[in-house]
Amino acid sequence: MSARAVVKAFYNLDLAKSEDAINMFDKDCQLHWNSSKGYLALDHDGIKAKLEDIRQSFVTFTYKLSHLLKENDTITARYTAYAATIERPDEIEPIAHFISIWEVKNGLLYKGYEISQLFDENPQSLSSF
């Protein structure tokens, strides 16, 4: 599977329902995430814990890709995350906008650099995705 196909396959998952999403990550993976709450560095165990938290907190957790760019084995993805909480399972709402850069190694997500901000209902922002 190409690097682009690996990243696209990950973002096509419903993380609230996928128990094997962690299998898409290399055992030595790293994720460097800058969010509106600050910087977070996650290794394989940290990513696994985040995925487990998602499965426990949401009925559905999906992504809508707007861009997927490739350069060698490095893929840049721009997307919005959508989720439905356990408390409101019938309401899928946008959560945040992201840009992620992934290095793929041996068909697995290896090194990620991510930046996110909370969803903004500003019409100009909405039309940019």
Side-chain angles (χ1 to χ4, degrees), residues 41-66:
L42 299 170
D43 60 7
H44 191 271
D45 290 338
I47 293 169
K48 184 177 181 180
K50 282 283 186 196
L51 292 171
E52 289 171 4
D53 287 346
I54 288 170
R55 284 198 315 277
Q56 292 176 7
S57 302
F58 298 98
V59 174
T60 186
F61 194 100
T62 59
Y63 300 104
K64 181 179 177 187
L65 284 166
S66 64

Side-chain angles (χ1 to χ4, degrees), residues 6 23-27 103-110:
V6 169
N23 295 336
M24 298 189 77
F25 292 87
D26 187 271
K27 295 290 182 194
E103 291 179 37
V104 176
K105 179 178 167 186
N106 299 321
L108 298 171
L109 299 171
Y110 175 62

Side-chain angles (χ1 to χ4, degrees), residues 23 36 46 50 64 71 78 81 86-87 90 115-116 119:
N23 295 336
S36 56
K50 282 283 186 196
K64 181 179 177 187
E71 183 176 321
R78 182 176 181 241
I86 292 169
E87 298 82 10
D90 296 329
I115 188 165
S116 65
F119 178 76

